[in-house]
Amino acid sequence: MTDALELLTTRRSFKAVELTGPAPSAAELDTLLTVASRVPDHGKLAPWRFIVFEGEARYAAGGAIAAAFAAKYPDAKPEHVDAERQRLARAPLVVAVVSRAAPHVKIPEWEQVLSAGAAAMNLVLAAHALGYAANWITEWYAYDRRVLDALGLAPRERIAGFIHIGKPPGKAEDRPRPPLSDIATRFSA
Ligand SMILES: Cc1cc2nc3c(=O)[nH]c(=O)nc-3n(C[C@H](O)[C@H](O)[C@H](O)COP(=O)(O)O)c2cc1C
């Protein structure tokens, strides 16, 4: 129990560019995705899925991001377009958590979206537990239809996050957290 609390209270994001190799092994990736899929899910709909970007595939996906950027900004300098190509190659592993939330007769869509957030958070925590660090980011391309099409997202699907995973550069400094007195109240009649 202490170990679990230690893990939860020491987790910190690092910038994607700070995350280095080696990438998680195939077995570790299985563990990461298994933990990510082990979340509360009203109606057992599995309203999320994962897309893994590793090795050269990160650059192929980056090509789609760069193409979308160039289409959006036709006057963009080549070096800026090229920087976009590196987007998913900053960390050795990136996992896109895709929300598949959709209208349902019984289960509110909102709850399906929350389940995708839980999957993303479990993935981040599992990475930490395995000795990696993570950064949960979306950035502009998570909202660009051209990019989403290229990554194979259906029209209703949305990116909950691109979870960047790699070895941390060192120990994490914490950032200020909201005081409990600001965010928690006790209900009294
Ligand atoms: C859904 C979601 C999307 C995010 N997208 C970005 C982003 O695009 N760029 C960014 O710098 N941070 C983004 N963040 C915040 C990072 O995850 C940030 O590093 C983190 O909140 C720091 O928190 P920590 O100190 O608890 O690790 C996002 C967070 C969430 C939950």
Side-chain angles (χ1 to χ4, degrees):
M1 183 57 82
T2 313
D3 284 353
L5 284 177
E6 167 82 9
L7 182 88
L8 292 166
T9 52
T10 56
R11 183 209 56 79
R12 218 19 269 274
S13 303
F14 284 88
K15 290 186 184 136
V17 285
E18 296 175 323
L19 302 172
T20 54
S25 66
E28 286 175 325
L29 179 56
D30 267 9
T31 301
L32 291 170
L33 298 179
T34 300
V35 172
S37 62
R38 214 189 159 286
V39 287
D41 164 12
H42 194 177
K44 303 183 187 70
L45 301 175
W48 22 256
R49 65 185 180 94
F50 310 110
I51 307 173
V52 174
F53 301 91
E54 50 186 352
E56 283 305 307
R58 297 171 303 155
Y59 294 97
I65 294 174
F69 184 81
K72 215 167 143 91
Y73 304 105
D75 299 330
K77 294 191 174 134
E79 60 265 35
H80 291 158
V81 176
D82 216 50
E84 295 297 332
R85 211 178 305 282
Q86 315 297 320
R87 281 278 184 189
L88 295 182
R90 289 169 289 182
L93 172 70
V94 178
V95 178
V97 178
V98 177
S99 163
R100 305 168 62 220
H104 185 276
V105 281
K106 184 161 162 261
I107 313 299
E109 202 169 329
W110 164 236
E111 297 184 6
Q112 300 174 46
V113 173
L114 290 173
S115 185
M121 194 63 224
N122 259 20
L123 180 55
V124 166
L125 287 169
H128 186 40
L130 284 174
Y132 296 92
N135 195 4
W136 174 351
I137 53 179
T138 42
E139 301 186 320
W140 69 269
Y141 48 92
Y143 300 97
D144 186 277
R145 192 65 251 168
R146 278 191 200 88
V147 173
L148 300 182
D149 286 344
L151 300 185
L153 270 75
R156 283 209 68 87
E157 294 184 322
R158 284 188 289 174
I159 296 285
F162 289 102
I163 314 298
H164 290 60
I165 297 170
K167 288 287 174 192
K171 253 193 135 32
E173 284 284 306
D174 203 9
R175 66 179 169 89
R177 304 287 166 175
L180 291 185
S181 55
D182 285 0
I183 54 167
T185 53
R186 237 178 215 92
F187 179 76
S188 60

